[in-house]
Amino acid sequence: MLSSQNKEKVTEESLKLEPVKVPEDIIRDPYVLEFLGLNPNDDFFENDLEEALITHLQKFLLELRRGFSFVARQKRITFDGRHFRIYLVFYNYILKCFVLIDLKIGDLTHQELGQMQLYVHYYERELMNEGDNPPIGIVLCADKSESVVKYTLPENETQIFASKYKLYLPGEEELLRELQREYEALEYDKK
């Protein structure tokens, strides 16, 4: 266990890392959530994933990396008599913006990206504080299609991200397959 002096030292050292310039410097893909203890072969719902993340909030904050502060869970926003709930809301004091996280246990669809755009625009227009940068939205999903992301979001999109999560660290063979698949996707996008 770290003493309070060591914790302060670790915090000071983490703040001295390379300066953050844009959200892409902080947003990860994938996130490794094996500390949740969820088995990828079990049936579970987004609410189960949310509950596990809240139970292990300190570990999740470490996985998110630098600058994240927890703000809300199941944040309700209402307009035109309609209610929407954002699974998790954080504030990143390095980027100086809200970070909204939606959870998806299955494949990412264009509907989730559109819903996240709604949340981000609402926060941008109604809940930003003076001096804040525009909010960032992350759809944390079990799997995603780069093509769905590419064709759903505008080409210059800098506020909405789709990041995969993994419930365990992959083995060497799986990691190599994943790297090869990512390489092929990047090569395909260059065409």
Side-chain angles (χ1 to χ4, degrees), residues 120-134:
V120 164
H121 293 306
Y122 180 83
Y123 257 75
E124 189 171 30
R125 296 172 189 163
E126 304 296 332
L127 299 174
M128 276 180 53
N129 297 306
E130 188 175 326
D132 282 350
N133 288 315

Side-chain angles (χ1 to χ4, degrees), residues 68-149:
F68 283 88
S69 298
F70 180 69
V71 174
R73 160 188 196 186
Q74 289 292 322
K75 173 68 175 166
R76 186 171 103 168
I77 58 176
T78 303
F79 50 87
D80 296 338
R82 296 178 184 180
H83 305 291
F84 300 89
R85 292 195 183 273
I86 305 168
Y87 277 99
L88 300 168
V89 178
F90 294 89
Y91 189 85
N92 188 287
Y93 61 84
I94 296 170
L95 294 173
K96 293 183 174 66
C97 70
F98 286 102
V99 179
L100 316 175
I101 297 181
D102 209 10
L103 305 172
K104 178 69 177 159
I105 58 170
D107 293 343
L108 177 70
T109 66
H110 66 283
Q111 289 95 334
E112 280 92 25
L113 292 170
Q115 185 172 352
M116 182 54 74
Q117 284 179 310
L118 173 94
Y119 297 161
V120 164
H121 293 306
Y122 180 83
Y123 257 75
E124 189 171 30
R125 296 172 189 163
E126 304 296 332
L127 299 174
M128 276 180 53
N129 297 306
E130 188 175 326
D132 282 350
N133 288 315
I136 296 169
I138 303 171
V139 180
L140 199 55
C141 52
D143 202 5
K144 69 176 183 178
S145 161
E146 293 297 334
S147 296
V148 168
V149 174

